[in-house]
């Protein structure tokens, strides 16, 4: 099949872009290097849209939360990623979490069912000279292509770190010590497994994290900053004795029924808590929330087995540390994500400097719409800045400070401010405004 557009990278962004183009009838070649025997250091399988770390798409609340609003807008644009997430959903309180295997299989099946989308397992090593292409190769873009992008941009790409959290087999967790509950549980959702710690246990654990043997930095990694939402647990621990108790090990709102007394029939709060969240549909594997780490593997097993309830834990996957690469988009890309010096090349996903699964998919969705408009000879209109998609796009393509450009999750700080609205009502005001203002854009784009 001769294609009209080439998409490199079948991750979250590339798959979404291929869907948006393919369902509009354009002929797409989607090249994915996994399946050829090659994988990035973080990917574990060959399926499209693999989630490399957490299985969560974060909050699904579209009334008060920016990423929840982004979910909502993507659904209105017939997003493949959001549709597949709905098919693969697992319980996670107000968050949207998925069984990663079901999710990836659904994305692949839906794309494979489009006759005009050709999925090819191949590694691409260079940017094409003038044919239209969307580069969605992600934070772990293979080396040769990264070199070609470096040459085309003439700029140093930035690199920073991402760390992966360990995953534990459910049947190796001691439920006589741990208990199921969500924070401030009123009985209706008990989605997390909680491991309680006394003060002495916490202090010993904290000391173990700080002293534990870490993966050594390589020379090029010196002074490399961390991906914000994925800071290693031991780096957080180094920031202060209580940093973890106010972060991923926060005990508040978690009554431990094993510690119930006549005065506290529902149980008491622990000094610190380790939480695990269901990672697959079957409920057989659970990830340690916020426990991404660069501790050496043997050290992880030793230290994490000192957590009450995890004394006999078996790990389906241990934590790890990986490179991340992204462009200085505000300088290099135009308002439609095209390389200013080579407009046949459009970027999508995390490589543009957005941050997170949902944001990467959203930028893939917009890149697909931009390319569709271009191929159809129509003018592309950006979503209003007051929407989550518009705010994210504006940040990437011009609003962010080029000199200090860092990957960014969607958040209300990217939206035009609503100073006149009282702080308490502001989040709802942002989402209400976005929902009203996206309507004409959706109509104009005929999405
Ligand atoms: C280790 C790690 C952990 C992360 N954890 C989280 C998290 O917990 N939550 C979160 O929201 N975000 C997380 N992120 C950030 C980010 O959201 C994800 O990396 C996300 O998958 C990015 O989507 P993408 O489509 O841009 O890239 P990817 O999903 O990585 O897709 C890129 C695809 O391109 C392919 N590819 C690369 N080079 C080539 C080539 N030359 N030719 C052909 N194919 C190629 C890759 O095999 C891959 O399938 C993490 C990132 C990393 C690296």
């Amino acid at each position: 099949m001769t294609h009209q557009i080439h998409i490199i990278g079948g991750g979250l962004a590339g798959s979404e872009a291929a869907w948006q183009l393919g369902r509009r009838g354009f002929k797409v070649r989607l090249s994915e290097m996994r399946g050829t025997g090659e994988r990035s250091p973080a990917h574990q399988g060959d399926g499209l849209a693999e989630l490399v770390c957490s299985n969560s798409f974060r909050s699904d609340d579209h009334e008060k939360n920016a990423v929840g609003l982004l979910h909502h807008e993507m659904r209105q644009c017939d997003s493949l990623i959001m549709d597949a997430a709905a098919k693969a959903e697992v319980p996670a309180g107000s968050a949207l979490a998925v069984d990663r295997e079901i999710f990836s299989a659904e994305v692949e099946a839906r794309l494979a069912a489009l006759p005009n989308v050709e999925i090819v397992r191949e590694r691409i090593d260079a940017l094409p000279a003038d044919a239209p292409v969307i580069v969605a190769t992600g934070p772990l873009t293979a080396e040769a292509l990264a070199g070609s992008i470096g040459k085309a941009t003439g700029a140093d790409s930035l690199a920073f770190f991402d760390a992966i959290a360990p995953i534990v087999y459910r049947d190796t967790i001691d439920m006589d010590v741990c208990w199921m509950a969500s924070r401030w549980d009123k009985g209706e959702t008990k989605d997390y497994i909680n491991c309680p710690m006394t003060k002495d246990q916490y202090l010993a654990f904290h000391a173990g994290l700080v002293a534990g043997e870490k993966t050594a930095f390589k020379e090029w990694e010196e002074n490399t900053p961390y991906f914000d939402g994925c800071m290693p647990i031991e780096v957080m621990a180094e920031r202060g004795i209580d940093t973890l108790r106010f972060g991923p090990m926060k005990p508040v709102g978690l009554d431990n029924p094993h510690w119930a007394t006549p005065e506290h029939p529902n149980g008491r709060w622990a000094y610190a808590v380790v939480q695990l969240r269901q990672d697959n549909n079957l409920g057989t594997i659970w990830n340690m929330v916020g426990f991404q780490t660069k501790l050496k593997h043997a050290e992880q097993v030793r230290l994490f087995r000192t957590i009450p309830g995890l004394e006999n834990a078996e790990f389906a996957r241990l934590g790890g540390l990986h490179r991340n690469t992204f462009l200085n988009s505000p300088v290099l890309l135009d308002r439609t994500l095209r390389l200013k010096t080579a407009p046949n090349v459009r970027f999508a996903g995390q490589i543009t400097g957005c941050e997170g699964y949902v944001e990467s998919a959203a930028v893939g969705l917009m890149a697909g719409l931009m390319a569709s408009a271009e191929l159809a000879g129509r003018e592309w209109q950006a979503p209003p800045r007051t929407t989550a998609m518009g705010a994210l796009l504006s940040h990437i393509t011009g609003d962010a400070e080029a000199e200090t450009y860092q990957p960014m999750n969607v958040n209300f700080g990217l939206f035009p401010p609503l100073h006149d609205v009282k702080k308490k009502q502001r989040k709802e005001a942002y989402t209400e405004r976005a929902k009203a203002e996206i309507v004409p854009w959706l109509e104009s784009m005929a999405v």
Side-chain angles (χ1 to χ4, degrees), residues 59-79:
S59 173
D60 202 29
D61 170 6
H62 55 83
E63 317 255 295
K64 286 194 188 162
N65 190 290
V67 78
L69 177 66
L70 189 57
H71 293 174
H72 180 74
E73 293 176 4
M74 290 170 72
R75 287 180 183 122
Q76 289 179 293
C77 296
D78 185 26
S79 159

Side-chain angles (χ1 to χ4, degrees), residues 8-14 31-34 38-40 42-43 47 49-56 58 122-125 136-142 145 162-164 227 230 320-324 348-351 355-361 409:
I8 312 175
L12 290 153
S31 300
E32 169 51 55
M33 76 173 177
R34 285 176 297 116
E38 196 157 349
R39 283 182 196 147
S40 83
H43 288 89
E50 177 177 331
L51 304 179
V52 290
C53 179
S54 153
N55 63 331
S56 172
R58 319 202 308 277
E122 60 184 353
R123 193 190 70 206
I124 304 295
D125 287 343
T137 44
L140 301 166
T141 296
L145 184 64
D162 269 334
I164 292 177
F227 171 76
C230 242
L321 178 77
H322 295 286
R323 184 199 77 210
N324 194 346
Q350 179 118 348
I351 198 167
E355 183 175 287
Y357 300 145
V358 186
E359 288 82 348
S360 298
N409 282 133

Side-chain angles (χ1 to χ4, degrees), residues 179 183 193-197 202 244-245 247-252 254 256 259 268-276 289 291 307:
W179 80 105
R183 206 175 294 283
I193 293 177
N194 301 280
C195 313
M197 277 189 185
Y202 173 79
L244 295 174
R245 292 205 322 120
M249 297 181 71
K250 192 160 62 177
V252 298
L254 290 167
N256 178 1
W259 292 0
R268 309 285 306 267
W269 294 355
Y271 190 74
V273 167
V274 174
Q275 289 199 299
L276 295 101
V289 180
F291 266 64
I307 297 170

Side-chain angles (χ1 to χ4, degrees), residues 91 114 188 203 244 251 278 314 394 410 440:
L114 288 176
E188 61 279 6
L203 294 178
L244 295 174
Q278 189 173 329
E314 294 293 336
S394 298
V410 68

Side-chain angles (χ1 to χ4, degrees), residues 371-392:
S372 299
E374 210 167 83
L375 289 170
R378 275 190 294 110
E379 204 185 323
W380 151 263
Q381 274 184 18
R385 275 224 52 188
T386 49
T387 63
M389 288 202 301
L392 188 61

Side-chain angles (χ1 to χ4, degrees), residues 88-351:
E89 190 168 355
V90 296
S94 59
L96 173 60
V98 300
D99 177 312
R100 62 185 80 227
E101 303 285 340
I102 296 177
F103 171 74
S104 163
E106 179 67 17
V107 170
E108 185 138 359
R110 294 280 296 278
L111 281 175
L114 288 176
N116 47 327
V117 174
E118 190 182 6
I119 303 168
V120 187
R121 302 300 178 153
E122 60 184 353
R123 193 190 70 206
I124 304 295
D125 287 343
L127 292 175
D130 42 35
V133 64
I134 297 179
V135 181
T137 44
L140 301 166
T141 296
E143 217 174 310
L145 184 64
S148 173
I149 296 169
K151 251 196 205 151
T153 56
D156 297 336
S157 53
L158 294 172
F160 65 109
F161 286 131
D162 269 334
I164 292 177
I167 293 180
V168 180
Y169 290 107
R170 169 71 170 77
D171 58 4
T172 65
I173 301 173
D174 184 352
M175 295 307 287
D176 289 337
V177 175
C178 304
W179 80 105
M180 302 281 307
S182 294
R183 206 175 294 283
W184 305 113
D185 202 347
K186 308 250 172 0
E188 61 279 6
T189 60
K190 294 183 183 293
D191 291 344
Y192 293 83
I193 293 177
N194 301 280
C195 313
M197 277 189 185
T198 61
K199 184 173 181 181
D200 286 349
Q201 287 166 333
Y202 173 79
L203 294 178
F205 182 72
H206 182 274
L209 278 176
V210 173
E213 210 184 335
K214 325 279 181 333
T215 317
F217 285 105
K218 297 195 178 69
E219 210 180 302
W220 58 269
E221 294 171 330
E222 299 272 328
N223 303 322
T224 306
Y226 291 104
F227 171 76
D228 238 17
C230 242
M231 183 177 289
I233 189 94
E234 61 278 3
V235 174
M236 259 185 269
E238 279 161 12
R239 294 193 165 179
I241 192 79
D242 279 328
T243 308
L244 295 174
R245 292 205 322 120
F246 288 100
M249 297 181 71
K250 192 160 62 177
V252 298
L254 290 167
D255 293 324
N256 178 1
H258 298 307
W259 292 0
T261 60
E263 306 86 72
H264 299 279
N266 294 334
R268 309 285 306 267
W269 294 355
Y271 190 74
V273 167
V274 174
Q275 289 199 299
L276 295 101
R277 183 177 54 222
Q278 189 173 329
D279 201 80
N280 64 349
N281 217 9
L282 297 172
T284 49
I285 50 174
W286 289 63
N287 68 57
M288 296 175 67
V289 180
F291 266 64
Q292 47 279 350
T293 178
K294 64 187 176 80
L295 285 171
K296 288 203 160 166
H297 281 183
E299 193 72 356
Q300 289 182 43
V301 174
R302 189 195 63 73
L303 189 62
F304 296 156
R305 285 190 181 152
T306 67
I307 297 170
L310 300 190
E311 292 85 350
N312 298 309
E314 294 293 336
F315 296 88
R317 181 172 83 185
L318 286 161
L321 178 77
H322 295 286
R323 184 199 77 210
N324 194 346
T325 313
F326 60 95
L327 299 168
N328 192 349
S329 298
V331 172
L332 297 170
L333 305 186
D334 68 13
R335 291 272 172 183
T336 67
L337 299 169
R338 296 179 310 181
L339 207 52
K340 287 177 186 164
T341 53
N344 64 308
V345 181
R346 176 169 274 122
F347 286 89
Q350 179 118 348
I351 198 167

